[in-house]
Structures are given as structure tokens and as C-alpha cells.
Amino acid sequence: MPKILVCYKWVLDEQDIRVNAADASLDFSRAKYKISDYDKNAIEEAVQLQESQGATIDAITFGGPAVKQSLKDLLSRGPDKVYYLADPAADKADGHVTAGVLAAAARTKGPYDLIICGEGSSDAYNQQVAPRMAARLGLPAITFVQSLKLEDGRIVATRKLGDCTEVVTIDGPAVVSVVPEINKPRIPSLKQVLAAAKKPSEEIKIADLGLTPAQLTPKTVSMTVKGFVMNRKNILFKEPAQADNVAKLVAALAKEGVC
């Protein structure tokens, strides 16, 4: 029976974030948290493999103290158990730190036949955690996966690469990152939400992972994040003939250097 580990991130819901018009700074005061949308695809894919292969699923997350709020939602989506690392260091962690922490934790709780991540997170979307985890664990990495199968201990993945696809077949274990096209995550039923309260969760302390200070020091530091504010010209073309409107639009775009 395959043993799967799925990684997820607890992020601020982007639809609740507001941009201050005065300086384009971001207002998070009303923002609630959610499981990263891309990670919902990773969770769903693990559950579908469980349904077809009889696999067991562990989940793991690294975040600040607020990450504890994610456990019930995560468990209602299908995994059998969740490990969480709730540490303030996660607030400033980059892909280097996050991958190192998750890889060290996975090593202590594994081995796993398959580790599944979302292609990126809803907040940063740096697309680094999965390949960095694979490097730390000494495993193959398969990225941009839009179709995934387990066949007799082998992993068969179809990768989305620009205007073409690539089919990769390797012997497990491996770390894969999936794109949103791979599936449509289900909404947990009331029965699943109630059952989640009975599933186990376990906290892992970063101090117990044996990581060095260098491994816990970010390689990149975000100084500030500003929202994008679009200033529209509000030019309307109201000629009776649509052809005249199109001609004026093209002329206006050409004047702006757009076309």
C-alpha cells in the first residue's frame, strides 16, 4: 500500500486583501486564512490516488501560530493524519528554509513512496519548494504535473510544458508538484467535516529536526510588497458604426505604442 505525503500552506485569502490607494500598500486587516488553492489540487490528487490504490495519506504544513487553524479543514479533505510545524520563523521563510524544514520533517516521519506539492503557493508562487525538497531528500523531482498514476511501484506523470506535454516514468519514491489542471478539488461534506475532528494531528518542533542556523536563515528577504494600481484613461468611442470605433481604438493604441 503506497504511503503518500502531501504538503500544503496556510495563506491569507487574496480576495480579502485591499490595496491602499495612497501608497499602494497592502491592507491585511480583514483577510482570513485558507489552504492555498494550488495545494488543494495536491490534496485532491493524493485522495484520488488513495481511492484507486488504497494508499495512506499524511499531510504536513509549516507556518506561523495561525497554522493550527488549518488542521480541521485539511483533515476534512481526506488525509489520514496531519503534521504541523507552528513557528514564527515561517513568517519570513523563503523556499530555501521552507523546503529544508519540510524535508527534515518528512525524513523523520517517512519513508514515503510519493510526496505531492502544489506547483506554487497562492501568496508567493515561487515554485521552489518541491524541487528543493527533492534535492534535500535525494529524490527525483517531477514538476508541472497534469496527470499522475502509480503503476506497480512506478510513478507515471504527464508534465505540462508550454505548448507540449512530456510523459515521465520513474521508479519511486519521488517528489512531484501538480498544476491546477490536474483535478477539481472537492468541497468536503458535512460528514467529512465531522469526521475530521476524530483524525490525529501531531506537532513537530523545528528544534527537534537538527537543522543548522544557516539552514533556517532565508536566502532571500522581502523588503516590501505593494499592490498594482491600474489608472484607466476612460476613453470611450461612440461612433454609430462599429468599424469606426474599431479604427479609432487601433489608432489610439498605436499612439500609445501598444500596437
Side-chain angles (χ1 to χ4, degrees), residues 164-187:
C164 65
T165 60
E166 175 186 65
V167 178
V168 178
T169 302
I170 65 171
D171 293 324
V175 180
V176 306
S177 59
V178 300
V179 296
E181 294 89 336
I182 196 168
N183 58 47
K184 182 177 180 180
R186 287 168 279 188
I187 298 175

Side-chain angles (χ1 to χ4, degrees), residues 5 59-63 67-68 81-87 101-102 104-110 112 201-211:
L5 178 67
I60 190 167
T61 186
F62 172 43
V67 79
K68 295 180 183 179
K81 183 175 182 177
V82 59
Y83 297 101
Y84 66 97
L85 298 103
D87 194 287
V101 169
L102 293 178
R107 189 179 289 110
T108 65
K109 301 301 178 181
Y112 291 97
S201 62
E202 180 181 330
E203 183 175 10
I204 300 174
K205 298 292 186 181
I206 291 183
D208 297 333
L209 297 178
L211 297 172

Side-chain angles (χ1 to χ4, degrees), residues 51-70:
E51 292 171 345
S52 62
Q53 305 284 332
T56 60
I57 306 174
D58 289 345
I60 190 167
T61 186
F62 172 43
V67 79
K68 295 180 183 179
Q69 302 169 15
S70 72

